[in-house]
Each structure stands twice: as C-alpha cells, then as structure tokens.
Amino acid sequence: MFGRIGRFAVLRPWVTISAWLIAAVALAALAPQLKSTSDQAEFLPSHYESIQAAKAQERAFPQHEQPAAVAVFQRTDKKALTEADKAAVVKVAAGLQDKGLTKVKAVTSSPEAVSPNGEIALAQVLATVKDPYDPELGESVKELRAEARSLLAGTDLTIGVTGAAASAVDAKEASGDSDAMIMSATLLLIVVLLLVIFRSPLIAILPVVIISLAFMVATGLISTAAELGGLKADASISAILIVVLFGVGTDYILFLLFRYREQLRGGQDPKQAMISAVSLVGETIASAAGAVIVAFLALLLSTMGMLRAMGPSLAISVAVALLAGLTLVPAVFSLLGTKAFWPSKAWKKEPKNAFAGKIGSVAAKRPGIVAALTSAVLAVLAVGVLGFQPAFDADSSLPQDLESVTAMKDLQRGFSAGQTDPTSVYLEKRDGTPLDRAQLEAFGAALKIEGVGQVSPALPGANGSVAQYSVVLEYRPTEDKALDLVSGPLRDAAHRAAPEGTRALVGGTSAVLGDISTAVSRDYKVVFPAAGLAIMLILGLLLRSVVAPLYLMASVALGFAATLGATVWVFQNGAGEKGLLFTLPVVVYLFVVAIGTDYNILMVARLREEIGAGRTPREAVRRAVSASAPTITAAAVILAGTFGVLMLAKNSMLQQMGFAVAFGILLTAFVMALLLVPTLTSLLGARAWWPGHRNTLPATGGQGGAAGTGPGGSAAGDGSRTDDRSMV
C-alpha cells in the first residue's frame, strides 16, 4: 500500500502538490475562525454542582449584572486616602459610567468602598454578559483603563484594573506575544538543526515550507470541525498546535529523508529511491502517527471539555502531518532529486557513525548491566512524582508585571483577596414557592465560617423561590485554599443549613475549579489506560507480537513517571512553584508516551528486521542501535527543541509543559529507545516476538537493505545492492 502511495506522489508530483495548495487556499479562505474559550465552566458536565449553580443563576437572575472587573485606587505615595481622594474616586467612577462602554452595565463606587486601613478604594465594574472572555467586553476593559487615567489627571491617585475580565485581557495579550515568539523560535530552531544535519539550505527550508502548508490545512480542518461539531478549544491550543505539527511533521520528514538518502547510496535513481523510501518507512511512520492519534483521541473519554476539545484538534494535526509526509514530501523531493542536498556531497558517502556504533556495542555486550542502570536512573527520577501538587491558579502563571496582577496585589493590601470574584451560593425551593425570610437569614448566617470574609444579604430571584448570597473569601478565588474551602467546608455548611424542601448550590470560579480537580482525578483513571491499550494494540499489529508491546509499555510507563518526577524537582523544589499545571500528567502521558513511542517503534521495527535476517539477539541489538541512533537522535533533538521553545513563553504553565515534554522526549529517545528497549529485547531473545517466528522476514515490498532481504539483497528490483548497515 505504501509503495503505491509513494509511486503516485513521485510519478505525479504536480498533481499532488496542486491538491495540497488548493486545499490550503480553500480552507484558509472558507473555513471559519477557530473559536477558543477559557471559561472553565463550559468544560464541565452538567451533573457537577458548580454547573447546576450556574443554571440556577440563569433561571432566577437572567438579567442580573455580572461582576467583570474591579478598579483599584490608591495614592501615589501609598498613604491613607483623604476625603478629597475618596470624592475623586466616586467622580471617576461616575465619569466611566457615563462613557457607555459596550457590555458594561455599571461602574459604581462610594465613599464607603474603602479598605479598613484606609489605603485602597474600589469601584465595581458590572457587565451584561457572564463570559469574562467576551471580545467586546475585553475591548471595553481596555478603553476603561485608558479613560480612567485621563480622568485621574491632576489627582494624587493611581488606578489598576483587575478581576476576571481584566485578567482575560492581559492573558490574551501575553499569549498573543508568546504565540508569535514560539512560532518564530520553532521555525528558526528547525531550520538551524536541519542545516547542521544535512548541510543543505534547501533541506533546511523545504520542511518548514511543507509543514507551514500542512499547518494551514490542519487549522482549517480543525476550525471547520469546530464549527460543524460545536468543538471548542482551550486558549492555549494555538501554541500547542504549532509545536505539535512542526515537531511531529519534522520527525516524519526526517524518517523519510534518512531512508531516501540511504536508498540513493545504494545506487537507486532519485525517483525510485523516494518510492523505495516511502515503501520501506511508510508503515513505521503510519504506526508512529497512529499511536499518537489514538492517544490524543483517548481524550474524548475525558469529562473535561477542555481536554475533549484538545484531543481531536491534535489528532487532526498529526493525521495531516502523516498525510503530508507520505505524499507532499515525496512529491516535492522527487522534483528536486539529488539537487535537494546541494551543496553538500555527504549524502554520497556512508557515514561512520562511530559514536552510534559504540552505543550499539555496549548495549549488545552488557545488556543486563545497561538495562539495570537505565531502569535505576528512571526509577530515581520517578520518585519526584510523590511530591506532585496540581495547580489550578491560571493567574499565578501570568507575567507578574501585568496590570491585573499588580492591581490584585494592591487590592490585597486592604481587602480580602476574594473581593474581585465572590463565590455565589444559591438557596432554591424545590417546589418553586417563595422562600421564607427567616430561613434566608438563618441560611446566610450559617455561611459565615472560617475563611469567609463576608456574606452579603440574600438577593431574591424573580419569583422568590431562589436566593443568591455573595460570599467573599479571604483567599484569591483561584488559589488552593479557596478551592479547598469552597469544595469542602463551605459546601458542607451550605448543604447542612439548607431547610427542608430546599437545596443549596455553591457556584462561582472557586467552585468550578474545585469540580475540575475532581474531574481531572477521574480522567487520570480512564484516559491513561485507554490510551495505553490503544498504543499497545498498534504496537502488536506492527510487530506481530504479544510480548514486545507489554514490556515496551512498561518501560514507557517508567519513563512517564521519571519525566513527571523530574519536572516536580525542577519547578516545585527548584524554582519554588507551589504546584504544577493540573493537566500536566495528561499532557506528559500523551505527548511523551504517544509521541515518544515513535522512537521505540523505529527501534523495535529495526530490531525485528535484524532478527528476521537471522541474526542473534545481541548482534541484532548492536546493528539496530548503530543504524537507528542517528535518525532517532536527529528527530528527538528537533522534536524536543520545538517543545522546549515553550520555555521561552512568559506563562509559567507553558514553561512547565515545554520542559516536561522536551525532557521526556529526550529521555525516551536516548535512555529508553537506544538503551533500555534494545537491551530488554536482547535479554528476552526470541520470546520477545512471540507468537511470531523469529526467522520470518518482515514484508517490505521487495526493497533492499536491512529493512528488506538482509545482506546482499536486491534493492527495489533494480539490481543494485544496499548496505544493510544503513539507517532507519
């Protein structure tokens, strides 16, 4: 099948290239813009209490203004506010109210809205929409900031705007800068590394052009699927798509080009060499991509809408990268022939690969020692997992110089940290009749527990059957203490105090994040096994073995734990972070286990070829490691580098993700694929391939070399001979 695909692309290159160009242009012109949201409430199933509370709010208070932001006023000298200062705050709030900002219902303040220490005054910004990420509301926040500064001219006051909508504006702008920086750094890294590896400017640039075209197709398909299927993507998906598509796409191109160069050295003409390369490496690339795709699709089993949205998007991007690798790349390089390697002549010579040969020899001669040492290193790193603390505070990952961050710190000098985003508690009569005033007062009093700063009087809904209490916490709504308080003691107190015939619902940001914590814990138990089983199935089909997939996945699981443990040590113990991105285990599992399995697939496929050629397990390990090391090294360095670029982002959670995935990929490539997997295979011997027969040659479509008929085999039916020491 792969031979036919390669033959079509090579013999009809202009048809193939035109099809890609038409698809890219059509999707860019016709596909809708990808919609993204960071409203975590939209990502939870309806049975969670925070979502039920939001629905109760919509029923009882359909026109109720939502707190969107808080304007924080203070003197430039940080001293207590004077009466004139307080009057100026009220005047500025009224002036902002008169501006008629879009989606802003009211800007209110009063002389009493001053902190107990007298240093901070607040003005509440109420919106007509619930979503703090509403684009029009965001523009109004920007305008409000500018107008407020002009209104404060001539006073001794300064202003900072914080709260949900302000944080959303700042996060979006910071993310926009990061996306551009990540794209630029990723492209530069790929070009430089390809130039070093192949010493050819064309090969350095062409993959970037090809993947850029594939990126246009992938984003168009994703946005179309989002529009037709109601798919929503998390705000960080764009940065992740960049590194996934460019990282994985470059890997697949490298797998193909290394094999193409090998076939040229064997004496084939350029077109036949490319057809042979697709035929030989196509199954490996397809299997590697398949493992990544099914792992990403396993996210559909998540209860988290954020992860369910991420899974199909990433799966589509990998599928496009696979299709480009098997069709667009052969078509482009078939037109260039050996000119693609200009001005380098190195492609004509068989590399010595001395270092790779030494690694192969050590792995072959001392498999037990190497396996034990590598396992010990992974186990030591894995110990760090025990200290993993999930973090749900997205605001803490933002650059600390943003206005919303600094204004929040100023607010906390005088008020409870929860002032910007109070928790909402609802008391609802089950039969729809009005609530009794005495019940409302008693219920409100019961909410004043430790950790709660203040509880507002009950606000009755339209028909009186639902009442809302605004509960200001002493902690920031997104920090761990707030989540623990709301999902534990506060909910317990509300449920206990609810009179007979009523129900209490706790909602708001802290409640949503607390429910997300519960959902993520559930997802760990479902998504991980599902993705692992799917990858094992693909490995079993590729290797025609039951045993090999078992120890491969066991080693990958150890690598996963080692990666996460190292990240804990670097960021929690080293950098002093209070916790790591709460979805980091899922991200590491899918990116390191799925994408990192590419290198294990390359290695075991080569081992299978060498065993199939009749070699002993130890000799097969020596030859497979020596031959595969250059390809795996080049691919892993580029892929790890593209993810490592995320560490340049200002967002600490993207930094954590970048380090974890980059480190995990390097660990998978250099420790697992080149050392642990081949030595375990050597120790197991023929049992590794059960129930397959150890002397059965893999089907290769009659192509030569170690991937074909063994030493001295005929290459591609053209009478030439291929050195079986060549690379995968």
Side-chain angles (χ1 to χ4, degrees):
M1 180 182 75
F2 295 104
R4 291 194 296 271
I5 294 173
R7 188 172 294 107
F8 180 89
V10 169
L11 299 181
R12 296 175 178 81
W14 289 114
V15 173
T16 304
I17 295 171
S18 298
W20 275 93
L21 288 172
I22 291 171
V25 172
L27 287 169
L30 302 176
Q33 291 292 319
L34 181 64
K35 297 178 181 179
S36 64
T37 178
S38 296
D39 184 358
Q40 301 291 1
E42 297 185 16
F43 292 137
L44 283 170
S46 59
H47 67 269
Y48 283 95
E49 184 173 328
S50 59
I51 305 305
Q52 294 178 14
K55 292 181 178 179
Q57 185 268 327
E58 291 173 0
R59 291 194 308 270
F61 305 93
Q63 304 300 321
H64 184 56
E65 300 88 358
Q66 300 296 315
V70 175
V72 181
F73 296 86
Q74 61 181 322
R75 288 181 58 85
T76 54
D77 57 12
K78 308 293 185 181
K79 294 181 180 179
L81 298 170
T82 65
E83 292 302 320
D85 293 331
K86 297 175 186 178
V89 169
V90 175
K91 183 178 179 181
V92 169
L96 293 173
Q97 171 72 41
D98 293 339
K99 296 295 180 182
L101 300 175
T102 305
K103 301 291 180 72
V104 173
K105 177 69 174 179
V107 182
T108 63
S109 184
S110 66
E112 291 76 30
V114 178
S115 62
N117 62 11
E119 296 178 1
I120 306 295
L122 303 180
Q124 297 289 338
V125 181
L126 303 178
T128 58
V129 293
K130 182 177 72 170
D131 184 8
Y133 297 88
D134 183 279
E136 292 182 336
L137 178 59
E139 290 300 318
S140 292
V141 169
K142 294 180 186 178
E143 188 176 349
L144 183 144
R145 283 172 167 171
E147 294 289 350
R149 284 173 174 79
S150 65
L151 291 172
L152 282 173
T155 72
D156 295 322
L157 298 174
T158 63
I159 185 175
V161 181
T162 187
S167 295
V169 168
D170 291 343
K172 183 178 180 180
E173 291 183 349
S175 175
D177 294 341
S178 296
D179 286 355
M181 178 269 297
I182 289 167
M183 173 67 87
S184 301
T186 298
L187 295 180
L188 179 63
L189 179 68
I190 291 174
V191 169
V192 170
L193 290 177
L194 287 175
L195 191 60
V196 170
I197 293 168
F198 289 97
R199 302 171 191 174
S200 165
L202 276 176
I203 292 184
I205 295 172
L206 278 176
V208 173
V209 176
I210 291 170
I211 297 171
S212 297
L213 189 63
F215 181 76
M216 292 173 62
V217 173
T219 51
L221 290 174
I222 291 168
S223 61
T224 301
E227 184 71 18
L228 297 178
L231 186 69
K232 292 182 179 178
D234 180 68
S236 63
I237 192 67
S238 56
I240 298 173
L241 280 177
I242 291 170
V243 293
V244 167
L245 194 56
F246 278 85
V248 173
T250 304
D251 263 13
Y252 297 160
I253 292 175
L254 278 176
F255 297 166
L256 187 64
L257 289 183
F258 269 88
R259 182 67 82 167
Y260 174 53
R261 190 172 66 176
E262 171 188 333
Q263 298 304 111
L264 288 173
R265 288 170 179 159
Q268 294 185 7
D269 68 84
K271 287 188 179 293
Q272 183 58 52
M274 182 56 75
I275 294 172
S276 300
V278 176
S279 178
L280 287 165
V281 83
E283 183 183 21
T284 301
I285 294 177
S287 299
V292 180
I293 290 170
V294 297
F296 286 155
L297 289 179
L299 289 174
L300 289 171
L301 300 175
S302 170
T303 56
M304 291 279 294
M306 176 183 65
L307 297 179
R308 288 201 308 273
M310 184 186 294
S313 298
L314 296 178
I316 289 172
S317 67
V318 174
V320 172
L322 169 63
L323 188 61
L326 296 179
T327 60
L328 185 57
V329 175
V332 171
F333 280 89
S334 70
L335 292 175
L336 295 171
T338 57
K339 294 185 181 68
F341 297 98
W342 180 87
S344 174
K345 303 293 185 183
W347 65 271
K348 297 180 178 181
K349 304 174 184 178
E350 189 70 33
K352 295 180 180 179
N353 296 330
F355 183 70
K358 290 180 181 179
I359 295 176
S361 296
V362 170
K365 291 178 181 178
R366 301 286 189 272
I369 294 176
V370 172
L373 287 176
T374 52
S375 298
V377 170
L378 294 172
V380 170
L381 291 174
V383 172
V385 173
L386 301 176
F388 174 74
Q389 292 292 331
F392 297 85
D393 188 357
D395 290 346
S396 67
S397 68
L398 294 174
Q400 295 302 296
D401 59 348
L402 295 178
E403 180 175 336
S404 59
V405 177
T406 57
M408 172 62 76
K409 293 177 181 177
D410 292 333
L411 181 148
Q412 291 176 323
R413 289 182 25 235
F415 290 94
S416 296
Q419 188 79 36
T420 60
D421 192 1
T423 293
S424 297
V425 180
Y426 298 90
L427 184 64
E428 182 177 26
K429 200 74 174 290
R430 295 184 183 276
D431 59 9
T433 59
L435 289 160
D436 180 78
R437 179 172 294 277
Q439 292 178 327
L440 293 176
E441 293 177 356
F443 181 79
L447 299 178
K448 295 178 181 179
I449 63 174
E450 184 179 356
V452 171
Q454 68 181 73
V455 178
S456 69
L459 176 64
N463 62 2
S465 64
V466 179
Q468 180 189 48
Y469 298 82
S470 183
V471 179
V472 177
L473 307 181
E474 294 178 356
Y475 317 112
R476 281 188 301 116
T478 53
E479 67 177 296
D480 291 343
K481 290 181 179 179
L483 271 60
D484 293 340
L485 173 63
V486 170
S487 59
L490 183 59
R491 269 188 178 155
D492 292 342
H495 295 166
R496 285 195 304 268
E500 186 177 352
T502 68
R503 67 167 181 168
L505 299 170
V506 180
T509 300
S510 301
V512 168
L513 292 177
D515 288 341
I516 286 177
S517 176
T518 302
V520 169
S521 298
R522 175 264 179 198
D523 288 348
Y524 289 165
K525 301 173 184 177
V526 175
V527 175
F528 286 7
L533 288 173
I535 294 173
M536 284 180 62
L537 178 61
I538 289 177
L539 289 172
L541 293 174
L542 171 68
L543 303 174
R544 285 80 167 173
S545 167
V546 173
V547 176
L550 293 175
Y551 71 81
L552 282 174
M553 287 307 298
S555 64
V556 165
L558 183 58
F560 160 75
T563 300
L564 191 57
T567 308
V568 170
W569 276 343
V570 169
F571 286 93
Q572 286 187 199
N573 300 338
E577 298 281 354
K578 294 181 179 180
L580 301 180
L581 175 65
F582 68 93
T583 56
L584 192 64
V586 174
V587 171
V588 169
Y589 186 84
L590 294 174
F591 283 77
V592 175
V593 171
I595 297 178
T597 299
D598 288 3
Y599 311 126
N600 288 333
I601 289 175
L602 280 172
M603 178 56 68
V604 295
R606 189 57 180 246
L607 284 168
R608 177 169 160 266
E609 293 170 4
E610 298 293 349
I611 290 291
R615 297 185 177 89
T616 63
R618 290 195 175 187
E619 178 62 13
V621 166
R622 186 189 70 79
R623 296 174 71 88
V625 173
S626 300
S628 302
T631 309
I632 291 175
T633 298
V637 168
I638 289 179
L639 184 59
T642 55
F643 277 98
V645 166
L646 289 173
M647 295 181 67
L648 300 176
K650 295 180 180 179
N651 189 308
S652 66
M653 290 190 174
L654 285 179
Q655 293 173 1
Q656 295 169 16
M657 186 186 302
F659 171 84
V661 177
F663 182 81
I665 288 170
L666 294 176
L667 200 68
T668 299
F670 293 105
V671 177
M672 293 165 56
L674 294 181
L675 295 174
L676 183 58
V677 168
T679 51
L680 288 176
T681 304
S682 176
L683 292 172
L684 286 170
R687 290 169 293 183
W689 311 105
W690 184 87
H693 194 280
R694 67 185 295 267
N695 290 321
T696 299
L697 283 169
T700 60
Q703 308 307 325
T709 59
S714 174
D718 65 352
S720 63
R721 298 171 69 85
T722 304
D723 188 344
D724 65 354
R725 293 173 298 171
S726 55
M727 293 176 289
V728 171

